[in-house]
Amino acid sequence: MMLHTLAIIGVGLMGGSVGLAAKKRRVAERVVGVGRPGDALEQARRLGAIDDAAASLADAARAAQLIVVATPVSAIVTTVREAATHSAPGTLLTDVGSTKGEIVQALELTPAAPRYAGSHPLAGSERHGVDHADGDLFEDRVTVVTQTRRTDADVVQRLAQFWTSLGSRVRILSPSDHDAVLARTSHLPHLIAAALAAGLDPEQYELTASGFRDTTRIAAGDPGLWTEIVLQNRGAVLAALDAFQNRLEPLRRALDNRDAAAIHAFLTQAKKVRDALGTPPLPP
Amino acid sequence: MMLHTLAIIGVGLMGGSVGLAAKKRRVAERVVGVGRPGDALEQARRLGAIDDAAASLADAARAAQLIVVATPVSAIVTTVREAATHSAPGTLLTDVGSTKGEIVQALELTPAAPRYAGSHPLAGSERHGVDHADGDLFEDRVTVVTQTRRTDADVVQRLAQFWTSLGSRVRILSPSDHDAVLARTSHLPHLIAAALAAGLDPEQYELTASGFRDTTRIAAGDPGLWTEIVLQNRGAVLAALDAFQNRLEPLRRALDNRDAAAIHAFLTQAKKVRDALGTPPLPP
């Protein structure tokens, strides 16, 4: 896939990484970025994540064959919708939000629908901003592309090709399957890491080792972005939280009863899962 | 501090790292290791973590000026006690167990008491075995040395010197303060990471990113060792688990009520703590 112009709306860590990867792998001849005034567009240009800052969303949308919306999740629906209005009929639209159900459902009711499918690259960092963007961010990571019975199969195929060309493996999921899984692999872990971190008093900070630091690393993520994410995926996150609390109950009882066999079995099952995931890639 | 002979009983990741660090920093002229037959003593010798495998615990204890017991926590009391029996009157004794209350209390009732204080280097890994030992493991990490009103102040001072000479910063705490803090910074996070990992189904494994992998890394730890640890520190771990569950409740309510301000405040407090801890050191 070779695009003449790729437009990225919202050039932070994720949008900036899409731009860097697209340039590096010659997936797009030209990358234009859109951001609010005062955003780090100039910095994105200096870093090579975009070639030009567009004068307006409309300008960028008109010029592009593919528009990637990488704003915070609460702004995605409006932004994709506006981009669709200004873009040529053949232009593809996607977003990279961490939740998919609400976003895809809302966009399927708009004129953007025939040219849109949702994306979610399972890559990122607790950091944010284009300064931490990385052209190799998608390599060997999974990107989910969403499909519903209303989604155009050709749009899904072309988006899958785009993410593959950035180095990613692609999985096609329904928005609700995506949200149910991500609640368990990302949104709940974020809240749990935050609850562990929030429980520490300052005089205990120095009595933490790498275990605590790893376990709570994601709690350093942006509170605003994550508030939006867990609220957008509220139903699935609440279900995941319930399931998690239900797993803690037998563990609590086992501790209470000094039931070494039950604790051992619980830790063995957890280790089996964790070992199957392999060594974590280093954060970018 | 320069020791003629340092004895290490139990030469796994932690014991092996003590040996490597002591050799590297010339803290001991000679390091002897003790382990059960079939243990990796020969491998420890090849790696330079020990100079010799002792024929018996008694032999090693007799020759040493400092004995470090690095067995699993359930074997520490018996082992320190036996080492004390065979060692010369001036020989110092310590252990590196992750819990301190039960161990110190039991040892204070034995003849080992006047020459013993507990230690806990807050360093380690989800890995185990001498193959993962690291002579720099203690550098810039905190080691707790325990003190009670029965502990000889001179023993504490000399042990503090020993850990400092291995590159560690030393904090002196009562065993119960140690256990209360470590329940929150290590033992509870271990159980929570395990509960997150255990909740994943195999078809979800590939939909995990580095966030989940970091958050659950410690769940790959040895189930046997960790069962012992959480049971030895059962009271403090239960208290930490209660406090943790109590922090989840308002969070659950906030999600239920779509209370963005409350979620934002919770995540902001967590981020403040996590940011104060700094970047995690890479696992050895």
Side-chain angles (χ1 to χ4, degrees):
Chain A
M1 170 187 256
M2 180 70 188
L3 301 162
H4 182 269
T5 300
L6 165 67
I8 300 173
I9 308 181
V11 189
L13 180 134
M14 191 60 80
S17 298
V18 170
L20 284 171
K23 294 297 291 181
K24 184 177 174 181
R25 294 166 164 266
R26 304 179 188 287
V27 172
E29 216 171 292
R30 182 168 160 258
V31 179
V32 296
V34 180
R36 287 168 304 187
D39 271 11
L41 282 180
E42 182 48 32
Q43 173 68 351
R45 216 186 46 73
R46 265 195 301 271
L47 294 169
I50 59 173
D51 294 299
D52 298 292
S56 68
L57 194 159
D59 273 4
R62 259 191 295 273
Q65 290 80 56
L66 170 61
I67 302 171
V68 175
V69 172
T71 64
V73 291
S74 65
I76 288 174
V77 172
T78 328
T79 309
V80 172
R81 205 174 164 161
E82 194 188 337
T85 312
H86 296 288
S87 58
T91 299
L92 286 181
L93 298 148
T94 193
D95 72 292
V96 295
S98 300
T99 64
K100 297 268 76 82
E102 276 196 20
I103 291 169
V104 174
Q105 196 178 17
L107 284 170
E108 284 188 336
L109 303 173
T110 72
R115 298 186 277 130
Y116 166 84
S119 303
H120 181 202
L122 306 190
S125 168
E126 78 284 9
R127 296 167 194 163
H128 53 105
V130 72
D131 286 333
H132 299 293
D134 173 5
D136 298 326
L137 187 65
F138 309 106
E139 242 168 71
D140 276 330
R141 308 301 182 89
V142 168
T143 296
V144 174
V145 175
T146 64
Q147 182 157 43
T148 74
R149 50 194 181 78
R150 297 183 178 190
T151 315
D152 186 308
D154 184 54
V155 169
V156 173
Q157 280 320 308
R158 285 161 69 199
L159 284 175
Q161 227 175 68
F162 172 71
W163 291 112
T164 304
S165 67
L166 298 192
S168 200
R169 286 174 290 138
V170 171
R171 294 294 174 267
I172 295 165
L173 289 179
S174 73
S176 62
D177 281 353
H178 168 277
D179 284 2
V181 177
L182 269 287
R184 293 164 75 176
T185 61
S186 172
H187 311 161
L188 175 70
H190 194 96
L191 295 178
I192 296 304
L196 280 173
L200 224 59
D201 300 326
E203 69 271 22
Q204 303 170 335
Y205 292 177
E206 69 168 358
L207 298 174
T208 57
S210 58
F212 189 85
R213 286 159 199 240
D214 285 353
T215 309
T216 59
R217 181 179 65 80
I218 53 178
D222 184 271
L225 296 181
W226 279 94
T227 299
E228 290 182 5
I229 289 168
V230 297
L231 281 175
Q232 277 225 352
N233 198 20
R234 179 175 158 275
V237 173
L238 279 169
L241 181 55
D242 285 346
F244 176 78
Q245 288 183 302
N246 289 339
R247 280 196 300 283
L248 288 184
E249 270 322 300
L251 177 64
R252 198 191 191 294
R253 264 198 312 280
L255 261 175
D256 232 349
N257 302 332
R258 298 184 169 81
D259 185 346
I263 297 170
H264 195 276
F266 167 83
L267 294 177
T268 301
Q269 163 60 12
K271 177 175 169 56
K272 197 181 117 195
V273 175
R274 186 58 189 80
D275 285 345
L277 299 179
T279 304
L282 301 177
Chain B
M1 171 187 257
M2 180 66 188
L3 301 162
H4 183 269
T5 299
L6 166 66
I8 300 173
I9 308 182
V11 189
L13 180 134
M14 191 60 79
S17 298
V18 170
L20 283 171
K23 294 297 294 182
K24 184 178 174 179
R25 295 167 163 265
R26 303 181 187 285
V27 172
E29 217 171 291
R30 181 169 161 259
V31 179
V32 295
V34 181
R36 288 168 304 186
D39 271 12
L41 281 180
E42 183 47 39
Q43 174 67 349
R45 213 186 48 72
R46 265 196 301 270
L47 295 170
I50 60 173
D51 294 300
D52 297 292
S56 68
L57 194 158
D59 272 5
R62 259 191 295 273
Q65 291 81 57
L66 170 60
I67 301 171
V68 175
V69 173
T71 64
V73 292
S74 65
I76 289 173
V77 172
T78 328
T79 308
V80 172
R81 205 174 166 162
E82 196 188 335
T85 314
H86 296 289
S87 58
T91 299
L92 285 182
L93 298 148
T94 193
D95 72 293
V96 294
S98 299
T99 65
K100 295 270 75 86
E102 278 196 19
I103 291 169
V104 174
Q105 195 177 17
L107 284 170
E108 283 187 335
L109 303 172
T110 73
R115 298 185 278 130
Y116 166 85
S119 302
H120 180 201
L122 305 189
S125 169
E126 77 284 8
R127 294 167 195 164
H128 53 105
V130 72
D131 285 332
H132 299 293
D134 173 6
D136 298 327
L137 187 65
F138 310 106
E139 243 168 71
D140 276 329
R141 307 300 182 90
V142 168
T143 296
V144 173
V145 174
T146 64
Q147 182 158 42
T148 74
R149 49 193 183 78
R150 297 182 178 188
T151 315
D152 186 308
D154 185 53
V155 169
V156 172
Q157 280 319 308
R158 286 161 68 200
L159 284 174
Q161 228 175 70
F162 171 71
W163 291 111
T164 305
S165 68
L166 299 192
S168 200
R169 286 174 289 137
V170 171
R171 294 293 173 270
I172 295 166
L173 289 179
S174 74
S176 62
D177 281 352
H178 168 276
D179 284 2
V181 177
L182 269 287
R184 292 164 74 176
T185 61
S186 171
H187 310 161
L188 175 69
H190 194 95
L191 295 178
I192 295 305
L196 281 173
L200 224 57
D201 300 326
E203 69 272 20
Q204 303 170 336
Y205 291 177
E206 68 168 358
L207 298 174
T208 56
S210 59
F212 189 84
R213 286 158 199 240
D214 285 352
T215 309
T216 58
R217 181 179 65 79
I218 53 178
D222 184 273
L225 297 179
W226 280 93
T227 299
E228 290 183 6
I229 289 168
V230 298
L231 281 174
Q232 277 225 352
N233 198 20
R234 180 174 157 276
V237 173
L238 280 169
L241 182 54
D242 284 346
F244 177 77
Q245 289 183 301
N246 288 340
R247 279 197 301 283
L248 288 185
E249 271 321 302
L251 177 63
R252 200 192 188 294
R253 262 199 312 280
L255 261 175
D256 233 348
N257 301 333
R258 296 185 169 79
D259 185 346
I263 297 171
H264 195 277
F266 166 83
L267 294 177
T268 301
Q269 164 61 14
K271 178 175 170 55
K272 197 181 118 194
V273 174
R274 186 57 189 82
D275 285 346
L277 300 179
T279 304
L282 301 177

